[in-house]
Each structure stands twice: as structure tokens, then as C-alpha cells.
Amino acid sequence: MEEPIYTRDNAEFTEGEIKQMIASFNRKKAPGTDGITNDIYLRTFNKFPRLVMEIYNQCLKKGCFPRRWKTAKIIPIVKPGKENSMEPSKYRPISLLNIGGKVLEKLLINRINHHMQKNELLIDSQYGFTPQKSTRCSHQGKKIHRTGTGKKEGVDND
């Protein structure tokens, strides 16, 4: 395995950064395969902050994402209005992920976004997957006019 490259952007995760991230998750969401709810995870962090912080910082240092945090519990949910259908397409799957992995993922995304913005690596027309921007923002400045169908051109017609 290659040695990770260390940069200024690799500063260790702080206790406050991790606590804020854990607290940002909805406490009422169902747990992943490990059965640990967001509320239990926050309580664990409050009791053992240095231990949890060390786990995340070791993941950062070693460039690893624990396999068990990638495992999802798939639950089929019946689509509205399809309750009486016999077709398999009446279901939509939802993936329940372990809270530990969701926290690490968000911590890493925040670091990546910070690096991209700080170093001006995104072009102005990048809207999707960009904080405080949406694809709807990309329509600003476009000339909008009605067509014969009554729909507007240049915008989403949801």
C-alpha cells in the first residue's frame, strides 16, 4: 500500500468538527446494519470523544474507509399508489447506512469542498454538487419565454 500524501488540508479532524457533524444527523432515522442509532452514536461520542476522534483521524491518515461502514441494509418501500400492484417495480429501495460511515463521508466531503473552494478549482458554471448552489441557479440569467405549449423554455418544468 502506498504511503498517503500529507498536505495542509490533511489537518486532523477536531473534536468540535466531529461532534457538530454527528449532531447534524436526524436522530429519528433508522440505523444501518450495526443497529447503532444516531442518538446512541452521539451519546457514545460525548462519553468517549477522544476515542471516536482517533478512529476518524486514523481513517484520514491511512486513507481508509472501513468496509463495515460501506455495507447497507436495503429496505424495499412500496411506491405511493402502487400498493395493490403485483409488479416488482412497485418498490423503491432505500439504503440504511451505518452512522459511523455517514459521519466520515461528510467530514471528508467538507474537506474536499473546502479545498476546492479555497484553491478556486471549480468553474463558475459548476452548480450540481456544489454547496449553496443548485441546478436551478444555473437558469438565472437565461432568457425565458413561453412556448406554444405553455411551458417555459430555459427552466425546469416540474
Side-chain angles (χ1 to χ4, degrees), residues 82-145:
K82 304 276 185 167
E83 294 82 4
N84 297 324
S85 174
M86 298 302 287
E87 295 295 318
S89 64
K90 79 177 192 178
Y91 297 101
R92 68 175 179 84
I94 61 166
S95 301
L96 302 177
L97 296 166
N98 296 334
I99 183 67
K102 290 193 281 188
V103 171
L104 179 58
E105 187 175 87
K106 273 186 99 173
L107 288 166
L108 293 171
I109 288 169
N110 284 349
R111 290 288 173 92
I112 291 167
N113 284 338
H114 175 73
H115 175 81
M116 298 292 283
Q117 291 171 354
K118 183 179 82 176
N119 295 294
E120 299 178 1
L121 298 173
L122 295 175
I123 58 174
D124 289 339
S125 60
Q126 172 68 38
Y127 290 93
F129 308 102
T130 305
Q132 285 80 49
K133 284 186 172 183
S134 73
T135 52
R136 291 193 183 267
C137 295
S138 68
H139 300 300
Q140 292 177 347
K142 278 189 175 182
K143 186 174 185 176
I144 298 175
H145 61 278

Side-chain angles (χ1 to χ4, degrees), residues 54-73:
E54 184 62 23
I55 291 168
Y56 287 114
N57 283 321
Q58 285 301 314
C59 289
L60 181 65
K61 285 178 190 172
K62 294 180 178 183
C64 76
F65 198 106
R67 188 169 298 179
R68 67 178 33 190
W69 283 352
K70 296 178 191 179
T71 305
K73 182 178 185 180

